[in-house]
Amino acid sequence: MAISTWPFLLLIPAFIVIHLFVSPYTKVEESFNIQATHDILIHGIPGSNADQFLTANYDHISFPGSVPRTFAGALILSGLSRPLVGLLNNAAHVQLLVRGVLGLCNAFSLVAFGRSVQKAFGTTAGIWYALFQASQFHVIYYASRTLPNMFAFVFSNFALRALLNAHTVSYSREDVNRRLRLCLYLFTIAGIVFRSELAILVGTITLYLLVTQRVSMIKVIIPAGVGGLMIGLLCTVPIDSFLWQSFPLWPEWIAFYYNTIQGHSADWGVSPWHFYFFNALPRLLLNPATYLLCIPVAVLNAATRSRSLSLLIPLLSFVALYSFLPHKEWRFIIYVIPGLTGVASAGASWLWTRRSKSAIYALLSLSLLLSVLASFAASTTLLALSSLNYPGGAALDALHSIPTHQNHVHVYADNLACQTGVTRFLEQHSAPQTILDVLEADEALQARVWTYDKTEDPTMLLDPLFWTKFDYVLAERPEKIIGSWDVVHVVYGFGGVRVLKPGQESGVVLEEVGGAESMQAGGHWTDRVAGAWKALEGVLREKLLRGHWVEVKMEPRIRILHNLMK
């Protein structure tokens, strides 16, 4: 009986959802899109007096960032999420919904590409693709995160699917041209709207297709380029010009000009040319067997060589060319990972189907299975550790669980808190104009008004009168907060790992905090992860590892301060 790939492919959306719930908060890189989605979903699109409406209700007016970003992704997310909002209990759940919608869109695109891998290389390859992809940490973890790259990721996966399909079966020339046009259309639109670096990938794919004489400039490249450019501009310029109140505005061009032409991307750090090949790609693929064994096998095997090279050459050429830019981050090249994973699955399939022919094939097949299990274990560990990097979100959640008898609570969140999880979705809504009022079931909570402040002006932060209006402050460094304050809760975050030798004690020194309020705010995710790791130490360290251990260090990140004068 033939084995279906679906149970394996469904691991991809399942693990994306698991990662979402284990690590529900966001970071500063995701903040524009998550805040924009909130503002569109909650306040709607302004009609008349747009400038006043946006100033009063939209986060990007107060915190515009170094360059404008497109609202296109936020509009799509808010539109897809709105019908389900009424099914949820509170605004924090809506944030999970919004991220879940994006995650499932990426999951759908990954599964669709996996089906093309199955068509191109066989059912066994489709299964290996699903196993490799589901056990990769970064793709699964970030699939639901509102980075501009992850909006573009949906398009790039469907574009790679079209590219692979064009080389899979003996289609007519017109069918091949149609698939190649679709590939270039999708990459071009994603580059125009979301991430300009995809222009390099469009170039490497186009050049490869021209060199291999598979395409026509007239029938494929020019229509796809012009059509993709026009569609992309129509999707971004009118929307963003209106919401940014600047006419005309093409955000991705401004970002490209600022970061690349003016060279400001280097302000965020410079990495050597080989960073992507020797650091980013191994981390993204995670499983060493994929790039050390399976991809070489797929290229050396005559049956899979042509289709493998049709993906490898343009994808790796893109990485090589992009490596000349000084500032590098793994998310800039994440678009190549499904394609490389698909090629690796072809090599794994070839080895697996020959496991009964010799001891070497049997050994290599066993090593592949073990490598997948090890990747799942590593990915799970990385998930647990990464979930500890959002003390701002955990602190705001803890603050809302502290009992208070005040009807109006003023809260200040400092820079670290805002960068590590504080979003408008996590704020307690009580204003009657927001649609989330219906989600607040607690009448006492509805009667309480919460006001939040994220002021960054250093002059105001040095004014003692500025601090007198706040009841609570989320602060990384309490000594910088002027006035009389009491630490009522400490939120810990990931502080690295330390290898312990036999006899060395593990554990962190917990800060003593005052007030009964702190007892009510405890028991959050960071505490549970730290407790689970401590329990695991008790089981494994002495019995299995002979006193050796890897300690997960937890350090104080955010203190919740209560104003003693109120």
Side-chain angles (χ1 to χ4, degrees), residues 23 137 141-142 145 381-390 494:
S23 187
F137 170 72
Y141 185 76
Y142 283 89
R145 298 194 168 275
T381 302
L382 288 171
L383 169 61
L385 297 180
S386 297
S387 69
L388 306 178
N389 285 322
Y390 303 87
F494 179 62

Side-chain angles (χ1 to χ4, degrees), residues 398-451:
L399 171 64
H400 291 149
S401 67
I402 295 176
T404 178
H405 302 293
Q406 297 170 257
N407 289 327
H408 196 162
V409 184
H410 293 265
V411 180
Y412 176 79
D414 74 355
N415 186 54
L416 180 63
C418 293
Q419 288 191 7
T420 58
V422 170
T423 68
R424 288 190 165 191
F425 277 116
L426 300 186
E427 297 174 358
Q428 298 288 5
H429 292 271
S430 59
Q433 72 271 19
T434 66
I435 68 167
L436 290 181
D437 290 340
V438 298
L439 305 180
E440 305 291 355
D442 189 333
E443 294 182 3
L445 190 59
Q446 283 188 357
R448 187 178 304 136
V449 177
W450 293 77
T451 303

Side-chain angles (χ1 to χ4, degrees), residues 205-244:
I205 292 173
T206 301
L207 183 59
Y208 176 78
L209 293 175
L210 285 173
V211 169
T212 56
Q213 299 179 347
R214 287 196 173 101
V215 299
S216 163
M217 288 286 293
I218 302 297
K219 293 183 178 180
V220 177
I221 295 175
I222 293 176
V226 174
L229 173 66
M230 297 305 297
I231 294 171
L233 290 176
L234 288 173
C235 288
T236 179
V237 173
I239 294 168
D240 294 308
S241 296
F242 176 72
L243 290 174
W244 284 99

Side-chain angles (χ1 to χ4, degrees), residues 20-21 23-26 34-35 37-38 41-42 81 84-85 87-101 144 393-394 396-398 400 421-429 435-441 445 452 524:
L20 164 63
F21 279 96
S23 187
Y25 303 121
T26 63
I34 200 71
Q35 303 286 48
T37 304
H38 169 277
L41 189 61
I42 304 309
S81 303
L84 302 175
V85 168
L87 302 177
L88 303 177
N89 294 324
N90 57 52
H93 292 167
V94 178
Q95 176 167 301
L96 288 174
L97 167 66
V98 166
R99 286 188 51 202
V101 168
S144 66
L396 191 58
D397 184 36
H400 291 149
V422 170
T423 68
R424 288 190 165 191
F425 277 116
L426 300 186
E427 297 174 358
Q428 298 288 5
H429 292 271
I435 68 167
L436 290 181
D437 290 340
V438 298
L439 305 180
E440 305 291 355
L445 190 59
Y452 302 86
H524 288 276

Side-chain angles (χ1 to χ4, degrees), residues 211-390:
V211 169
T212 56
Q213 299 179 347
R214 287 196 173 101
V215 299
S216 163
M217 288 286 293
I218 302 297
K219 293 183 178 180
V220 177
I221 295 175
I222 293 176
V226 174
L229 173 66
M230 297 305 297
I231 294 171
L233 290 176
L234 288 173
C235 288
T236 179
V237 173
I239 294 168
D240 294 308
S241 296
F242 176 72
L243 290 174
W244 284 99
Q245 289 291 287
S246 176
F247 301 89
L249 181 67
W250 178 10
E252 204 48 37
W253 164 253
I254 294 177
F256 172 77
Y257 183 81
Y258 179 84
N259 290 317
T260 304
I261 297 178
Q262 293 187 327
H264 287 290
S265 66
D267 297 342
W268 303 100
V270 175
S271 300
W273 184 88
H274 55 74
F275 171 82
Y276 285 137
F277 286 101
F278 292 98
N279 186 305
L281 285 178
R283 278 196 295 147
L284 290 169
L285 290 167
L286 190 60
N287 188 339
T290 56
Y291 53 88
L292 294 179
L293 176 62
C294 297
I295 290 178
V297 167
V299 174
L300 293 173
N301 177 25
T304 58
R305 182 183 301 130
S306 177
R307 292 169 188 170
S308 296
L309 291 178
S310 69
L311 291 175
L312 284 177
I313 291 177
L315 294 180
L316 295 181
S317 297
F318 159 71
V319 176
L321 290 173
Y322 203 45
S323 295
F324 286 102
L325 290 179
H327 178 61
K328 298 176 178 66
E329 295 184 37
W330 61 261
R331 59 191 176 95
F332 297 161
I333 62 164
I334 196 170
Y335 323 105
V336 308
I337 297 304
L340 298 183
T341 304
V343 175
S345 69
S349 173
W350 191 85
L351 292 171
W352 180 257
T353 55
R354 285 157 179 77
R355 66 189 182 279
S356 61
K357 292 187 176 182
S358 73
I360 294 178
Y361 287 130
L363 183 61
L364 290 175
S365 298
L366 178 61
S367 68
L368 284 177
L369 280 178
L370 294 177
S371 72
V372 168
L373 293 176
S375 293
F376 274 116
S379 183
T380 301
T381 302
L382 288 171
L383 169 61
L385 297 180
S386 297
S387 69
L388 306 178
N389 285 322
Y390 303 87

